[in-house]
Amino acid sequence: MDIAVVTAIYGDYDPIPPLPPGFNQYIIVTDKPVTSDWYNIVMPPFSNNPRLSSKLPRMRPDLFCSTEYSVWMDATLRDRNGWIAENARRMFKEGREFITWEHPERKCLFEEAAFSMNVEKYKDQPIEQQARYYSMKGMPEQWGLYANGTIARKHTDRIKDLGNEWLLHNIMWSIQDQVSLSYVLWSRGIRPSVWPAHQHSGVVGWDGGHH
């Protein structure tokens, strides 16, 4: 089972992460080449917002690798013991298609939207209108909320389609991808699998400022 790990750095926001052990391909998508052991894919930003430009590899990592499986990894993640690769392989063998973190603090996209309205990086984003639209479309409260710093996928058609719609919501609405993911999952009848640990339990580390 070959698994690629994909990360991205746009706009010099993050230091280059060390290679997490246990993967078959190591791919970094970036707006300018970086000197590291990661395989560089240089892609100009499609937006003047670096955070939005980095959403394409986050939501469609299959476009950047040749494997049937991938793990998206925020550049702030530090996994020196191979915990992510080990658990991804086990869960893929169990038939899981989409694995992410259960949100460590909230359970509802509406709670996350209310929280995010006061976060500096989202200050110009239409999050209030976005949440109102999801409510109007029938999104239930307390459906579930996920933190998307580490996402494992099998590249099936339905997971690629999920990624396309998720990206579209980030372009149309806000770059707060936790808010949009719950809606897109719910509207498609997909309940994701979750990593078998609390995000802040210490099984992996975070180099500050993770989303």
Side-chain angles (χ1 to χ4, degrees):
M1 178 187 292
D2 285 353
I3 307 176
V5 60
V6 180
T7 192
I9 295 179
Y10 276 81
D12 297 324
Y13 274 128
D14 296 305
I16 300 163
L19 298 183
F23 293 98
N24 304 94
Q25 294 180 11
Y26 293 85
I27 296 163
I28 188 166
V29 184
T30 179
D31 50 357
K32 59 186 179 184
V34 299
T35 303
S36 78
D37 293 329
W38 293 83
Y39 178 77
N40 281 223
I41 294 181
V42 179
M43 188 179 74
F46 67 82
S47 164
N48 58 10
N49 185 328
R51 289 190 174 96
L52 182 56
S53 290
S54 70
K55 301 293 183 183
L56 178 58
R58 178 192 293 264
M59 294 163 187
R60 285 295 309 275
D62 57 287
L63 297 174
F64 301 92
C65 61
S66 59
T67 53
E68 185 181 1
Y69 302 90
S70 71
V71 171
W72 160 264
M73 189 187 93
D74 275 5
T76 53
L77 180 74
R78 302 291 179 263
D79 178 17
R80 294 179 175 85
N81 299 316
W83 189 91
I84 294 293
E86 178 185 339
N87 282 279
R89 287 179 194 281
R90 176 180 59 79
M91 295 175 80
F92 285 143
K93 286 174 183 173
E94 294 170 355
R96 316 298 178 91
E97 287 185 326
F98 190 96
I99 309 158
T100 187
W101 297 103
E102 191 166 39
H103 197 283
E105 293 155 1
R106 287 172 286 282
K107 302 292 184 189
C108 175
L109 78 77
F110 300 108
E111 293 173 357
E112 182 68 5
F115 173 84
S116 299
M117 287 178 217
N118 299 311
V119 175
E120 177 68 20
K121 66 181 175 181
Y122 301 132
K123 64 180 181 180
D124 298 323
Q125 302 280 310
I127 294 175
E128 185 176 4
Q129 297 93 317
Q130 181 178 10
R132 196 178 305 130
Y133 171 78
Y134 294 159
S135 178
M136 185 182 71
K137 298 293 280 187
M139 179 74 200
E141 296 183 11
Q142 302 297 317
W143 182 83
L145 188 70
Y146 303 94
N148 305 313
T150 322
I151 307 171
R153 295 172 174 89
K154 182 178 182 181
H155 300 149
T156 60
D157 287 343
R158 80 170 189 152
I159 296 304
K160 293 175 185 177
D161 289 345
L162 170 73
N164 288 339
E165 186 179 353
W166 188 17
L167 179 62
L168 188 59
H169 280 252
N170 279 256
I171 295 168
M172 291 190 314
W173 290 108
S174 77
I175 58 168
Q176 216 304 11
D177 58 52
Q178 296 174 152
V179 169
S180 49
L181 179 62
S182 287
Y183 174 76
V184 174
L185 287 166
W186 168 79
S187 68
R188 289 175 169 265
I190 298 173
R191 177 65 74 173
S193 302
V194 294
W195 295 111
H198 188 282
Q199 187 182 16
H200 302 323
S201 65
V203 294
V204 296
W206 301 92
D207 187 21
H210 66 279
H211 176 59

